[in-house]
Amino acid sequence: MPNPKCTRAQLGREASFSIILGRNRGGSIYMLVFAAHDPGAKNIILPIHEHALAVGENSDFVDLMLRTDMLSEDKALSYLDTLQPRGIICGFSGHEWPLVRAGKQLGVPTVMFVDIGIGSQLDQISKLDMPDLFLVANAGSAEELIQY
């Protein structure tokens, strides 16, 4: 239920989690997993995670610089299978791919924020492993994704 003290803009942001991710497959409690490796991605992902917590979402943040076990697809799959998240929202440093692949395997929607150039990073990724949604932080990244 939306917070009656929220402004219209806050209410829009609060509702956006539901619109993007839909209903939790296991019940009414949402679990969002946020992950980032490099400082640039953390600058984008951490505030969104903190906002999710502020509006009452059940979420977890995975710092991939510290949680190197999540760089293993088997560990990422086990972690996600235990949490049964409703969505994965992560950065685009290259270290997030095991979580994205594991999420796709479990049918969990995946979102990647691209804050810098993609370079040749996507050349090594199967089309089937791509996240469900890319969000970009700047026009240059948007153009690169369009060109890809």
Side-chain angles (χ1 to χ4, degrees):
M1 176 172 198
N3 181 343
K5 295 182 181 179
C6 286
T7 66
R8 183 178 298 251
Q10 289 169 325
L11 183 58
R13 281 183 252 137
E14 185 174 339
S16 66
F17 290 113
S18 299
I19 292 166
I20 292 172
L21 302 173
R23 283 260 174 235
N24 185 302
R25 64 182 174 200
S28 60
I29 297 175
Y30 288 89
M31 166 54 83
L32 301 173
V33 171
F34 295 88
H37 180 268
D38 63 273
K42 288 177 190 174
N43 285 341
I44 293 173
I45 301 297
L46 271 172
I48 300 168
H49 164 65
E50 290 165 358
H51 176 76
L53 291 173
V55 298
E57 297 290 343
N58 185 13
S59 73
D60 191 28
F61 178 77
V62 180
D63 184 333
L64 294 170
M65 285 186 98
L66 302 175
R67 294 284 314 271
T68 56
D69 58 319
M70 290 298 139
L71 302 180
S72 155
E73 218 163 298
D74 290 337
K75 296 287 186 180
L77 185 62
S78 175
Y79 166 77
L80 294 176
D81 194 41
T82 299
L83 288 182
Q84 295 191 357
R86 188 64 210 130
I88 301 164
I89 302 162
C90 61
F92 185 79
S93 69
H95 300 282
E96 295 84 0
W97 289 108
L99 277 170
V100 171
R101 284 187 191 105
K104 305 266 306 168
Q105 197 172 350
L106 294 170
V108 177
T110 54
V111 178
M112 286 187 110
F113 274 91
V114 181
D115 64 325
I116 58 170
I118 63 170
S120 61
Q121 207 180 131
L122 293 178
D123 292 343
Q124 304 165 20
I125 305 299
S126 161
K127 301 280 188 220
L128 298 174
D129 291 336
M130 294 289 178
D132 297 305
L133 180 66
F134 282 107
L135 298 176
V136 298
N138 57 62
S141 295
E143 189 60 35
E144 279 190 83
L145 281 172
I146 291 167
Q147 295 296 323
Y148 182 77

